[in-house]
Amino acid sequence: YQQDGSVLVAHGGTEMGQGLNVKMAQVAAHALGCPLDKIHVGESASDRVPNSSPTAASVGSDVNGGAVLDACEKLAARLQPFREKLGPDAPWVKVVQTAYFDRVSLFAEGFYATPYCFKYDWTLETKDNRERGPMYAYHSFGVAAAEVEVDLRTGEWACLRADVLMDVGSSLNPAIDIGQVEGAFIQ
């Protein structure tokens, strides 16, 4: 908004405690080059984002983050001439206000589709799903092991050691991802 430089982000993902909204705010702040505290993420609603993919299969950050990035890159390109005109140290709010008074649209929409997703053949009659083709561009992998002692007479047990290894690729927010992995292990 032109008065305070705040940014409202609407995305199609469902925040269910996994930190999706925080990650989307981080993507927007990074792409726009503005302070994180200027980003506000609204509630998901199909009247705002009618063509969203499900938040499932560990792709919520990818799909929604890609769409947020797409929209923010469009907006950043519109604001770039004002950044150049005002100088590299110009406050974010000044850049936004100057663009607004020059009648530049401060709205952008974005879209992202995971690579390969549409190459998966749902209609193919087969007993081997591998024949349908790739569904996702990648998969996340993890392993966990716990060493426990169990008293076979009483049923009492003690966890002596637990190890978890998870490959999350390039994390948008390591603290959130570590919390998600630890929570999954505990469950």
Side-chain angles (χ1 to χ4, degrees), residues 92-172:
W92 168 254
V93 67
K94 182 70 174 167
V95 172
V96 170
Q97 288 173 342
T98 304
Y100 174 78
F101 287 120
D102 206 32
R103 306 312 301 147
V104 171
S105 172
L106 297 176
F107 167 83
E109 47 73 40
F111 185 80
Y112 178 79
T114 55
Y116 305 119
C117 185
F118 297 108
K119 293 181 181 179
Y120 188 81
D121 187 352
W122 292 94
T123 62
L124 183 66
E125 293 290 331
T126 181
K127 292 183 179 184
D128 185 354
N129 281 332
R130 292 175 295 182
E131 294 176 4
R132 295 178 191 275
M135 182 178 281
Y136 298 109
Y138 68 92
H139 297 278
S140 57
F141 296 94
V143 64
E147 182 180 348
V148 298
E149 278 185 355
V150 179
D151 184 326
L152 297 177
R153 288 178 286 130
T154 65
E156 290 184 39
W157 63 274
C159 183
L160 305 177
R161 175 183 175 148
D163 295 293
V164 178
L165 179 65
M166 184 74 187
D167 180 1
V168 297
S170 283
S171 175
L172 293 173

Side-chain angles (χ1 to χ4, degrees), residues 20 24 58-67 112 114 138 172:
L20 183 61
M24 296 307 97
S58 299
V59 297
S61 295
D62 294 6
V63 173
N64 296 291
Y112 178 79
T114 55
Y138 68 92
L172 293 173

